[in-house]
Amino acid sequence: MANPASKQKPITADTFLRGLWEENPVFVMLLGLCPALAVTNSAINAIGMGGATTFVLLGSSALVSLLRKLIPKQVRIASYIVIIATFVTIVDYAIHALSLELYNALGAFIQLIVVNCVILGRAESFASKHRLTKSLVNALGVGVGFTFALLCLGSVREILGSGTLFGFPLFGDSYQPWVVMILPPGGFFVTGAWLLLFAWLKERKQRKVTQEKETVHAPG
Amino acid sequence: MHPDDLSFIFLNAFIINNFVLAYFLGLCPFLGVSGKLNTAWNMGLATTFVMFVSSLCAYGLNQLLVQYHLEFLRLISYIAVIASAVQLVEMIVKKTSPALFRALGIFLPLITTNCAILGLALFQTFKEYSFVQSLVYSIGAGAGFTLALMLMAGLRTRMDLADVPAISRGAALSFMLAGLLSLTFMGFAGLGTH
């Protein structure tokens, strides 16, 4: 069970922002990679997948948080999975009804949201220990962070791989698309490139901090 | 070869549409347990076994669900079956080889959330495979997963000795390697179609 101190902490901007940036599920935690790579061959698919995942994340976090005192510890993982599977079934039928085009593009990956470790991770490490509103804010942060990461991957892959963004052509007819980018290898390459970029930014920031420390300490 | 031939189903799941490198399923263990060849092999075996058992159960369950028009329960029942199969494997491994149990660590219970397994169960349902076809498909997928895992483990063991920039060590490099592997496997596309 959670310690009482953490329960009384108010909701801060950090509750939301942590999942969005500092602990971004895809780029920092390396969770939920399967859908992140599989459906991001266009920006619109990325948003569809991100939206569906965010909905499941919100729903399951709310229910887990409400039921957190009723679920016995021994069967908690199984209970979380059943809760998540319920919401995924809802999303699956909803997308099927709303947009057949998106449904066909995402295929089995809508149902595979069940095994997205981001959602189970949130249920286990946050929603089962915090109040409803706080869990919802946190889940929203993580969901937006996930969607953001997917959009980063999807837009780069779509621009390079088909020369379009959200279906609008960007470069004119002379552009020769890098077809490999919308094929599976492109998913790995683009993710690798984004990770490299983030690692480089992080290293630069750290170097700046240590340099500042040195200049402060130098006179004394 | 005809797409419904058993040999084609096996080959398709094994290399042509490799679950990891073409469908992006099971990336977590692919990146997490591919540090050492030995662990990769054992993880591959455990996953293949779970795939086989859950494919078997998923086939039976689906027949039952279709008969009673309960298709909306498919997802929930599949995941329950997979979780039980993983529990079974966990008990067997713990009993027979405690050392292996420690080496696989958290990734053993996490086979439940390995999308390759649920993916397999769903794909065989969508493709309407018969009983034997489903079993062959599951063995092919398991073998393909093991192959990808071991190739990656071999590459990463070599990469540990290579001189690469510090920022690209770890995840970024693994993704680039996986991209190259995936590119190589694209060469198998079209195999056995004529």
Side-chain angles (χ1 to χ4, degrees), chain A residues 30 33-34 37-38 81-82 85-86 88-89 93 108-109 111-112 114-115 117 120 180 183-185 187-189 191-193 195-196 199-200 203, chain B residues 20-28 31 71-72 75-76 79 112-113 115 118-119 122-123 126 167-168 171-172 175-176 178-180 182-183 186:
Chain A
L30 297 179
L33 288 171
C34 309
L37 270 72
I81 292 260
V82 171
T86 311
V88 172
T89 310
Y93 278 84
F109 283 95
Q111 304 200 0
L112 284 174
V114 178
V115 282
C117 2
L120 190 63
V180 71
L183 293 175
F188 287 113
F189 287 136
T191 316
L195 287 175
L196 265 184
W200 179 69
E203 197 223 35
Chain B
V20 181
L21 298 168
Y23 287 155
F24 302 109
L25 295 170
L27 283 181
C28 301
L31 294 169
E71 284 93 344
F72 59 91
L75 204 55
I76 297 179
I79 198 79
T112 311
T113 49
C115 18
L118 184 62
L122 291 173
F123 286 150
F126 292 152
I167 53 162
S168 65
F175 271 99
M176 292 297 178
L180 287 177
S182 168
L183 206 56
M186 270 177 66

Side-chain angles (χ1 to χ4, degrees), chain B residues 46-128:
Chain B
T47 309
T48 309
F49 179 74
V50 177
M51 275 181 169
F52 187 78
V53 173
S54 38
S55 160
L56 201 93
C57 301
Y59 181 81
L61 259 177
N62 192 42
Q63 296 298 321
L64 214 65
L65 292 177
V66 168
Q67 197 169 1
Y68 291 103
H69 302 289
L70 292 170
E71 284 93 344
F72 59 91
L73 285 177
R74 190 182 281 152
L75 204 55
I76 297 179
S77 46
Y78 278 11
I79 198 79
V81 164
I82 292 170
S84 333
V86 171
Q87 199 77 54
L88 189 72
V89 170
E90 204 179 333
M91 284 186 319
I92 294 173
V93 172
K94 201 173 179 181
K95 197 89 181 168
T96 52
S97 164
L100 177 61
F101 185 72
R102 275 195 303 276
L104 292 175
I106 182 70
F107 285 99
L108 195 56
L110 278 183
I111 297 181
T112 311
T113 49
N114 183 338
C115 18
I117 293 164
L118 184 62
L120 175 87
L122 291 173
F123 286 150
Q124 78 176 31
T125 313
F126 292 152
K127 291 185 177 178
E128 294 175 352

